[in-house]
Amino acid sequence: MAATSTARWRRRKDERPGEILTAALACFAERGFAATRLDDVAARAGVTKGTLYLYFASKEELFKSVVRQEIVASIAQAEEMVAHSEESAAVLLERLLANWPGLIAASRIGAIPKLVLGEAGNFPELARFYLDEVVRRGTALIAGILRRGVERGEFRPALDIERAVFCVIAPVLFTMLWRHSLEPYADRPLDARALCATHLDLLLHGLSAPEPRE
Amino acid sequence: MAATSTARWRRRKDERPGEILTAALACFAERGFAATRLDDVAARAGVTKGTLYLYFASKEELFKSVVRQEIVASIAQAEEMVAHSEESAAVLLERLLANWPGLIAASRIGAIPKLVLGEAGNFPELARFYLDEVVRRGTALIAGILRRGVERGEFRPALDIERAVFCVIAPVLFTMLWRHSLEPYADRPLDARALCATHLDLLLHGLSAPEPRE
Amino acid sequence: MAATSTARWRRRKDERPGEILTAALACFAERGFAATRLDDVAARAGVTKGTLYLYFASKEELFKSVVRQEIVASIAQAEEMVAHSEESAAVLLERLLANWPGLIAASRIGAIPKLVLGEAGNFPELARFYLDEVVRRGTALIAGILRRGVERGEFRPALDIERAVFCVIAPVLFTMLWRHSLEPYADRPLDARALCATHLDLLLHGLSAPEPRE
Amino acid sequence: MAATSTARWRRRKDERPGEILTAALACFAERGFAATRLDDVAARAGVTKGTLYLYFASKEELFKSVVRQEIVASIAQAEEMVAHSEESAAVLLERLLANWPGLIAASRIGAIPKLVLGEAGNFPELARFYLDEVVRRGTALIAGILRRGVERGEFRPALDIERAVFCVIAPVLFTMLWRHSLEPYADRPLDARALCATHLDLLLHGLSAPEPRE
DNA sequence: CATGAATGAGCTTTCATTCAT
DNA sequence: AATGAATGAAAGCTCATTCAT
């Protein structure tokens, strides 16, 4: 009411796309692609439906843009960290896993896996893009660390690296999925940091108690 | 002739719901709830759209029935196995994890987590149902095993059981999600059995090599 | 109000397509393709918008069906008449032209030329269809008569048949176009029969008075 | 410098309307009124959509202006020619018809009949304007020539002038309509000059061969 | 004078649901 | 019990029009 302007709208060409993508991500994350109405996205972005079409050719394109924009920055960042480090594999893993909770909270990337999972069947092109740009690069990253650990004698020589990668990733992914699906209905939120700590601990040492009389 | 005819009708009547649920699960798993058309479900079930409404009040009810039907049998089975066993925790875990791949392949339950994850935002009631009937019972089951392992000295006493549960479950869940989302686009399928074996191995022993000169 | 049924609708699968085409032709003829709303077509056909899509895949398909259905029967009929006749060319022409006004009034074909003319730019496929099925066959029909007239010595030997064809057709076409465009706004309707008679008279004898002292 | 700038502005201001009308005519002729987007008109005129509204109040007004501008000059010109001539009716007709092809090619008036025909149903006002300013004056012009011909004994005394007028006009109109509708899809273009020559020939002499032994 | 970002009404199209058969 | 023609409420998308710049 006491707003900065009484105009029906303002020209904000540069800010619009980002605002729309943010609004769209939120809507898609909440309801999925098909159940999201462009009216909702528009309302959340503070524009009208027609405006969406100034920046995105269709609902599908908007969806793909949402996924792409969130992905682009994030994966490269993790690769960077690993590439420039000469630390032990265990420390690398620890830093990677310890970073994750903060990263998820800070960026809005946490909802992407849920979206891609749910819509892979409807967006083959997107599925392939994600497979190439995220899954392949992400698993290669982890596999590199594990391999380094084996080579250096840190990790067990017989390690099945290819599968172990998924075991490393799975709890992290789980956290992201949980947060954007069932967590709102659960008694209490998941403590991502604690879970990552436990995960790291299990990864490095396993469940088993050390043989007592050694 | 009335008898024959009646019998045949009855047989159809008894089988229809199951056939419809099976068709619906397949459709929902492929495309998600919103993107699935009842025409498709009906076609896949070999009936017409109108017939669906003889057995299910609405698309939503059909969806919930799909989820419920798949869940009911599965979780109880696992609970049964654990309850009647006096074996070590490690063996129990092993049997649980080793069973999973077969269980997923045999039943059509594998698509349920993806569906629930994706539609939790649109079906709060379903989310709560799943949280109660699957998540709570499933985590309790694993937690019980872990607790037994700690009590018996098999597992490390300081184990953070509550979080470890998720670490145990995550790779299994991951396998199910993968299968119904990105796997069709990947170069080659995931070997669920091998992944479970590696997971178990890591769980019990961890990544780290035993200290050599101890 | 005292209708035959209080039902919201009746199943009339066989009659529907024809009714819809008739309604659509009327609407398209009045307003053109783009300016016609499917709501109007549906209302005029006594159905709802959704019903249109049970029978026609899209507005474009509906439009093409309208044109095709009207054309199919009409051109063959004229060809038939000419083929089986051994009368003089002049008599043939006379019968063809004399028939036209009745034909136009009876069928709803009169609006088609206006539609095709107006939408040729937007429907290349339709334009080509019309060119092949109507223009080519129609001109061939007239050309055949003219040629016969020349061969038999009825018509002048130097006749430029190819162009004369258009001179024969043009007034007929004009009548159809006029009726569905400006006539509603004119002081009085065009007397198609009288115009055809004059046209025939001019065609056969020309404007010029016979040389008086021959 | 203010002078130069003002002058340049003014020059644009003076030229803009004409440029826009030319662009609009081309677009309307190609696609019809409803299917023409103002974006297209603007692009073809080398301005932006908003600029159109500086010169024309709405799409409808633009359309009417297009029609009016093309018509105004053309009809008066023909009237002029006839009024100041004392030649025979046959010669007048010949000059009128022979002029037409060039006139159509030179101006962009050729597309107007198609537009008016197609949109008469949507623009009653325009239809009446066209009826008054073009049809009435045009038919009066031809009727005058025919009447003169009859009075002078050139043409047959029993001539049904009122209808003959349409027979004179129809092939000319046909040429214009053809050019802007089906011609682009036909094997080869229509030779307007040859067609007019044949038309004149038929008009004056008719199809029939002179009685040989008279 | 000119722009073009933004609007919003209105269109085509889809599809869950109903109900006469 | 089963059908499938018909419905009608959305939804995606377009585009004439407006107006801050």
Side-chain angles (χ1 to χ4, degrees):
Chain A
M1 316 161 201
T4 54
S5 162
T6 61
R8 284 193 299 166
W9 44 265
R10 275 165 169 280
R11 300 172 86 171
R12 292 174 40 242
K13 187 186 177 166
D14 295 344
E15 293 86 353
R16 289 280 188 242
E19 293 169 4
I20 292 172
L21 286 172
T22 301
L25 173 55
C27 291
F28 288 143
E30 271 174 29
R31 328 188 58 101
F33 175 77
T36 293
R37 285 166 300 163
L38 290 186
D39 271 319
D40 296 339
V41 176
R44 196 177 312 217
V47 298
T48 57
K49 228 179 350 177
T51 302
L52 302 183
Y53 285 86
L54 291 179
Y55 298 99
F56 302 95
S58 69
K59 191 185 179 186
E60 290 211 359
E61 284 306 318
L62 174 60
F63 182 65
K64 292 190 213 159
S65 296
V66 164
V67 175
R68 287 206 190 90
Q69 120 142 354
E70 296 300 326
I71 283 171
V72 164
S74 297
I75 192 84
Q77 195 175 336
E79 288 176 335
E80 196 76 5
M81 194 192 77
V82 173
H84 294 30
S85 161
E86 276 307 314
E87 290 163 298
S88 72
V91 169
L92 264 180
L93 262 191
E94 181 177 355
R95 285 180 41 184
L96 211 57
L97 292 177
N99 260 349
W100 224 284
L103 211 140
I104 294 168
S107 82
R108 300 162 314 265
I109 203 179
I112 299 295
K114 176 186 141 182
L115 284 180
V116 173
L117 278 181
E119 304 297 339
N122 300 321
F123 293 85
E125 184 197 343
L126 188 72
R128 290 197 194 91
F129 168 80
Y130 193 79
L131 219 35
D132 266 13
E133 295 301 313
V134 180
V135 177
R136 210 168 39 74
R137 288 168 68 181
T139 52
L141 187 70
I142 307 286
I145 298 176
L146 294 183
R147 201 170 300 113
R148 192 194 293 191
V150 171
E151 284 164 3
R152 295 188 179 179
E154 284 179 78
F155 296 159
R156 292 189 275 137
L159 190 64
D160 175 354
I161 289 179
E162 195 185 349
R163 274 83 181 211
V165 163
F166 290 116
C167 298
V168 172
I169 290 172
V172 174
L173 189 68
F174 174 86
T175 310
M176 293 198 274
L177 296 173
W178 180 266
R179 180 139 300 161
H180 292 90
S181 55
L182 295 177
E183 183 167 288
Y185 307 101
D187 312 332
R188 57 203 168 100
L190 197 65
D191 181 341
R193 219 166 289 276
L195 197 149
C196 277
T198 300
H199 176 40
L200 186 73
D201 180 47
L202 285 179
L203 267 182
L204 294 178
H205 307 107
L207 285 166
S208 306
E211 297 297 321
R213 61 188 152 266
E214 203 167 348
Chain B
M1 93 183 166
T4 316
S5 142
T6 304
R8 215 188 288 130
W9 276 115
R10 202 187 309 289
R11 237 193 68 236
R12 297 311 288 159
K13 186 181 175 184
D14 292 348
E15 292 171 0
R16 283 272 190 256
E19 293 169 3
I20 293 172
L21 285 172
T22 301
L25 173 56
C27 292
F28 288 142
E30 271 175 29
R31 327 193 61 98
F33 174 78
T36 293
R37 283 168 303 172
L38 290 187
D39 271 316
D40 296 339
V41 175
R44 181 139 19 182
V47 298
T48 57
K49 217 169 19 168
T51 303
L52 302 183
Y53 284 85
L54 295 176
Y55 298 99
F56 302 95
S58 70
K59 193 186 179 187
E60 291 210 0
E61 284 307 319
L62 174 59
F63 182 64
K64 292 189 211 161
S65 296
V66 164
V67 175
R68 286 204 194 90
Q69 123 143 348
E70 296 299 326
I71 283 171
V72 166
S74 297
I75 193 82
Q77 195 174 338
E79 287 174 336
E80 197 78 3
M81 192 192 79
V82 173
H84 294 29
S85 160
E86 278 308 315
E87 289 163 297
S88 73
V91 170
L92 264 179
L93 261 190
E94 181 176 355
R95 286 179 43 185
L96 213 56
L97 290 177
N99 260 349
W100 225 285
L103 209 138
I104 293 168
S107 81
R108 297 156 319 257
I109 201 178
I112 299 296
K114 176 185 142 181
L115 283 180
V116 174
L117 275 182
E119 304 296 339
N122 300 321
F123 294 86
E125 184 195 345
L126 187 73
R128 289 196 196 90
F129 167 80
Y130 192 79
L131 220 36
D132 267 11
E133 296 301 313
V134 180
V135 178
R136 210 169 38 76
R137 286 168 68 181
T139 51
L141 187 69
I142 307 286
I145 297 177
L146 295 183
R147 200 170 299 113
R148 194 194 293 189
V150 171
E151 286 164 3
R152 294 186 181 181
E154 283 180 78
F155 296 160
R156 291 189 276 136
L159 189 66
D160 175 355
I161 289 179
E162 195 187 349
R163 274 82 180 214
V165 163
F166 290 117
C167 297
V168 172
I169 291 171
V172 174
L173 188 68
F174 174 86
T175 309
M176 293 198 276
L177 295 173
W178 180 264
R179 180 139 299 160
H180 292 89
S181 55
L182 295 178
E183 183 166 289
Y185 307 101
D187 310 333
R188 58 205 168 98
L190 197 66
D191 181 340
R193 219 166 290 276
L195 198 148
C196 278
T198 301
H199 177 40
L200 187 71
D201 180 46
L202 285 179
L203 268 182
L204 296 179
H205 307 108
L207 285 166
S208 306
E211 297 297 321
R213 64 190 147 261
E214 204 166 350
Chain C
M1 317 161 201
T4 53
S5 162
T6 61
R8 282 194 298 165
W9 45 266
R10 275 165 168 281
R11 302 172 83 170
R12 290 173 43 240
K13 186 187 175 158
D14 294 344
E15 292 87 353
R16 287 279 189 245
E19 293 169 4
I20 292 173
L21 285 173
T22 302
L25 173 55
C27 292
F28 287 144
E30 271 175 28
R31 328 187 58 100
F33 175 77
T36 293
R37 285 164 301 163
L38 290 184
D39 270 319
D40 297 339
V41 176
R44 196 176 313 217
V47 298
T48 57
K49 233 180 341 181
T51 301
L52 302 183
Y53 284 84
L54 291 179
Y55 298 99
F56 302 95
S58 67
K59 191 185 179 185
E60 289 210 1
E61 283 307 317
L62 174 59
F63 182 65
K64 291 188 211 161
S65 296
V66 164
V67 175
R68 287 206 191 88
Q69 122 141 351
E70 296 300 325
I71 282 171
V72 165
S74 297
I75 192 83
Q77 196 174 338
E79 288 176 334
E80 197 75 4
M81 194 192 79
V82 173
H84 293 31
S85 162
E86 277 307 314
E87 290 163 296
S88 72
V91 169
L92 264 180
L93 261 190
E94 180 175 357
R95 285 180 41 186
L96 211 57
L97 292 176
N99 259 350
W100 225 285
L103 210 140
I104 293 167
S107 82
R108 299 162 315 260
I109 203 178
I112 299 295
K114 176 185 142 182
L115 284 180
V116 174
L117 278 182
E119 304 297 338
N122 300 321
F123 293 85
E125 184 196 343
L126 188 73
R128 290 198 194 88
F129 168 80
Y130 192 80
L131 219 37
D132 265 12
E133 295 303 312
V134 180
V135 177
R136 210 169 38 75
R137 288 169 69 181
T139 51
L141 187 69
I142 307 286
I145 298 176
L146 295 184
R147 198 171 300 112
R148 191 193 294 191
V150 171
E151 285 164 3
R152 294 187 179 178
E154 282 181 78
F155 296 160
R156 290 189 276 138
L159 189 65
D160 175 354
I161 290 179
E162 195 186 350
R163 274 83 181 213
V165 164
F166 290 116
C167 297
V168 173
I169 291 172
V172 174
L173 189 67
F174 174 86
T175 309
M176 292 200 274
L177 296 173
W178 179 266
R179 179 139 301 160
H180 291 90
S181 54
L182 295 178
E183 182 166 291
Y185 308 101
D187 310 335
R188 57 204 170 100
L190 196 65
D191 182 340
R193 218 165 291 275
L195 196 148
C196 278
T198 301
H199 175 41
L200 186 71
D201 180 47
L202 285 179
L203 267 182
L204 295 178
H205 307 107
L207 286 166
S208 306
E211 297 296 321
R213 64 189 147 261
E214 202 168 351
Chain D
M1 92 182 166
T4 315
S5 144
T6 304
R8 211 186 292 129
W9 277 115
R10 202 188 308 289
R11 238 194 69 238
R12 296 312 286 160
K13 187 180 174 185
D14 292 347
E15 292 171 1
R16 283 273 189 253
E19 293 168 3
I20 292 172
L21 285 171
T22 301
L25 173 57
C27 291
F28 288 143
E30 271 176 28
R31 327 194 61 98
F33 175 77
T36 293
R37 283 167 302 170
L38 290 188
D39 271 317
D40 297 338
V41 175
R44 177 129 36 172
V47 299
T48 57
K49 217 169 18 167
T51 302
L52 302 183
Y53 283 84
L54 294 176
Y55 297 99
F56 302 95
S58 69
K59 192 185 179 187
E60 291 210 0
E61 284 308 319
L62 174 60
F63 182 64
K64 292 190 213 159
S65 297
V66 164
V67 175
R68 287 204 192 89
Q69 122 143 349
E70 296 299 326
I71 283 171
V72 165
S74 298
I75 194 81
Q77 194 176 335
E79 288 175 335
E80 196 76 4
M81 192 192 79
V82 173
H84 294 30
S85 160
E86 277 307 314
E87 288 163 299
S88 72
V91 170
L92 264 180
L93 263 191
E94 181 177 355
R95 285 178 43 184
L96 212 56
L97 291 177
N99 260 350
W100 224 285
L103 208 138
I104 294 169
S107 80
R108 299 156 317 260
I109 202 177
I112 300 295
K114 176 185 141 182
L115 283 180
V116 174
L117 275 181
E119 304 296 340
N122 300 321
F123 293 86
E125 185 197 342
L126 186 74
R128 290 198 194 89
F129 167 81
Y130 192 80
L131 220 36
D132 268 11
E133 295 302 311
V134 180
V135 178
R136 209 168 40 74
R137 286 169 69 181
T139 52
L141 187 69
I142 307 286
I145 297 176
L146 295 183
R147 200 169 300 111
R148 193 193 293 189
V150 171
E151 285 164 2
R152 294 188 179 178
E154 281 180 80
F155 296 160
R156 291 189 277 135
L159 188 66
D160 175 355
I161 289 179
E162 194 186 350
R163 275 83 180 210
V165 163
F166 290 117
C167 298
V168 172
I169 291 172
V172 175
L173 188 67
F174 174 86
T175 310
M176 294 198 274
L177 296 173
W178 180 265
R179 180 138 300 161
H180 292 90
S181 54
L182 296 178
E183 184 168 288
Y185 306 101
D187 312 333
R188 58 204 167 99
L190 197 65
D191 181 340
R193 219 165 290 274
L195 198 149
C196 278
T198 301
H199 177 40
L200 188 71
D201 180 46
L202 285 179
L203 267 182
L204 294 179
H205 307 106
L207 285 166
S208 306
E211 296 297 321
R213 63 192 147 257
E214 203 167 348

